[in-house]
C-alpha cells in the first residue's frame, strides 16, 4: 500500500511528533489570545488533527484515525499542558518550534497525498488533500481564533507553496512508479527546506498585478 512508506512504528512516531509540534503552535496562539485552559486545549487539538480529519472524511477513511488511535487524541492535550504551564519557555524556543513545524509540514503533505491516492483519488485531488493534511489544521486554528488564516495572508512567509510542491513531487513519483521510502523522504525534505528558506529570507507570494488597494499589512 502506498501509505506504507515507513514501518508502522516509525510512521506512528513521526505522526505523533508532527501532531505535537502543530499542537504547540495552536496552544501558543491561544495563550496570545488570552484563551482559558479549555480554549488552549481546543486550539491545540484543532491545529494538530484538523487537516487529517478533513482528509479522512473526504476520502471515506472513517472513523478518522484521530478518533481510533488514543495517542493521536492525547498528544495535543500533552502539548496543551506544556503550553499552559511552560508557555514563557516555549515562546523562547519558538524558532525551534517553527523548524519542527516545517518538518511536520513536509511529512504531512507526503502522507496526505499518498493516503488520498491509496483510497482511489486521482493525482490532482491527492495533491489537494496533501495540502489540506499539512495546512488544514492551521486554517481551523486561525478561524477559531478569529483571525484571517495565515495561509491566505500576503504578509506571512510562504507556507502553502512548499506543501504544494512536496505533494506534487509525490504525485509525479506515483505517476512514474518511483515512490519509495527514499524518494518519499526526499519529497518531504524538499517541502521542509523550502519552508525553512521562506522563513529565513521572508519569501512571500506575489499579490494581484496593478493592485490598487490602499490597505496596509496591519489593516489586512
Amino acid at each position: 500500500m502506498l501509505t506504507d512508506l515507513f514501518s508502522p512504528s516509525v510512521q506512528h512516531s513521526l505522526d505523533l511528533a508532527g501532531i505535537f509540534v502543530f499542537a504547540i503552535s495552536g496552544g501558543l496562539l491561544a495563550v496570545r489570545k488570552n484563551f482559558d485552559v479549555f480554549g488552549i486545549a481546543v486550539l491545540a487539538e484543532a491545529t494538530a488533527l484538523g487537516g487529517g480529519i478533513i482528509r479522512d472524511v473526504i476520502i471515506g477513511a472513517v472513523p478518522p484515525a484521530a478518533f481510533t488511535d488514543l495517542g493521536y487524541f492525547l498528544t495535543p492535550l500533552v502539548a496543551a499542558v506544556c503550553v499552559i504551564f511552560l508557555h514563557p519557555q516555549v515562546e523562547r524556543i519558538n524558532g525551534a518550534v517553527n523548524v519542527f513545524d516545517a518538518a511536520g509540514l513536509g511529512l504531512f503533505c507526503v502522507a496526505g497525498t499518498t493516503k488520498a491516492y491509496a483510497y482511489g483519488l486521482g493525482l490532482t485531488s491527492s495533491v489537494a488533500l496533501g495540502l489540506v493534511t499539512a495546512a488544514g489544521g492551521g486554517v481551523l486554528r486561525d478561524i477559531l481564533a478569529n483571525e484571517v488564516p495565515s495561509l491566505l495572508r500576503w504578509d506571512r512567509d510562504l507556507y502553502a507553496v512548499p506543501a504544494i510542491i512536496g505533494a506534487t513531487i509525490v504525485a509525479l513519483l506515483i505517476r512514474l512508479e518511483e515512490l519509495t521510502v527514499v524518494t518519499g523522504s526526499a519529497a518531504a525534505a524538499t517541502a521542509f527546506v523550502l519552508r525553512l528558506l521562506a522563513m529565513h529570507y521572508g519569501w512571500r507570494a506575489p499579490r494581484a498585478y496593478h493592485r490598487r488597494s490602499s490597505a496596509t499589512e496591519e489593516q489586512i
Side-chain angles (χ1 to χ4, degrees), residues 77-171:
L77 294 182
V78 173
V81 170
C82 292
V83 170
I84 290 168
F85 291 103
L86 301 173
H87 65 88
Q89 291 84 348
V90 175
E91 285 279 14
R92 283 200 292 269
I93 62 168
N94 197 44
V97 171
N98 286 335
V99 171
F100 285 108
D101 181 86
L105 177 80
L107 171 67
F108 284 2
C109 74
V110 171
T113 304
T114 55
K115 186 170 184 177
Y117 187 79
Y119 273 78
L121 271 67
L123 292 176
T124 301
S125 298
S126 297
V127 169
L129 284 183
L131 172 61
V132 168
T133 306
V139 173
L140 288 177
R141 173 200 64 206
D142 292 341
I143 291 174
L144 289 172
N146 197 31
E147 292 203 346
V148 176
S150 298
L151 196 71
L152 306 179
R153 294 185 59 166
W154 174 84
D155 58 327
R156 294 291 188 270
D157 302 331
L158 291 179
Y159 196 89
V161 172
I164 291 172
I165 291 174
T168 300
I169 292 173
V170 172

Side-chain angles (χ1 to χ4, degrees), residues 2-205:
L2 284 171
T3 49
D4 296 332
L5 284 179
F6 305 100
S7 69
S9 60
V10 171
Q11 181 66 54
H12 191 257
S13 298
L14 291 173
D15 284 347
L16 292 181
I19 286 170
F20 183 82
V21 176
F22 282 166
I24 288 287
S25 70
L28 287 176
L29 178 59
V31 171
R32 296 184 193 118
K33 288 286 187 175
N34 203 30
F35 286 8
D36 62 16
V37 292
F38 181 75
I40 294 172
V42 168
L43 234 60
E45 291 279 358
T47 308
L49 303 177
I53 291 173
I54 294 171
R55 176 205 62 211
D56 287 352
V57 169
I58 290 174
I59 66 178
V62 292
F67 295 100
T68 59
D69 188 318
L70 189 60
Y72 284 14
F73 183 78
L74 292 180
T75 298
L77 294 182
V78 173
V81 170
C82 292
V83 170
I84 290 168
F85 291 103
L86 301 173
H87 65 88
Q89 291 84 348
V90 175
E91 285 279 14
R92 283 200 292 269
I93 62 168
N94 197 44
V97 171
N98 286 335
V99 171
F100 285 108
D101 181 86
L105 177 80
L107 171 67
F108 284 2
C109 74
V110 171
T113 304
T114 55
K115 186 170 184 177
Y117 187 79
Y119 273 78
L121 271 67
L123 292 176
T124 301
S125 298
S126 297
V127 169
L129 284 183
L131 172 61
V132 168
T133 306
V139 173
L140 288 177
R141 173 200 64 206
D142 292 341
I143 291 174
L144 289 172
N146 197 31
E147 292 203 346
V148 176
S150 298
L151 196 71
L152 306 179
R153 294 185 59 166
W154 174 84
D155 58 327
R156 294 291 188 270
D157 302 331
L158 291 179
Y159 196 89
V161 172
I164 291 172
I165 291 174
T168 300
I169 292 173
V170 172
L172 292 175
L173 290 170
I174 293 172
R175 178 72 174 178
L176 298 172
E177 299 183 352
E178 295 291 341
L179 183 61
T180 65
V181 171
V182 174
T183 58
S185 299
T190 299
F192 170 62
V193 171
L194 286 174
R195 172 59 180 157
L196 289 183
L197 291 173
M199 290 190 295
H200 182 74
Y201 292 106
W203 291 347
R204 299 173 180 177

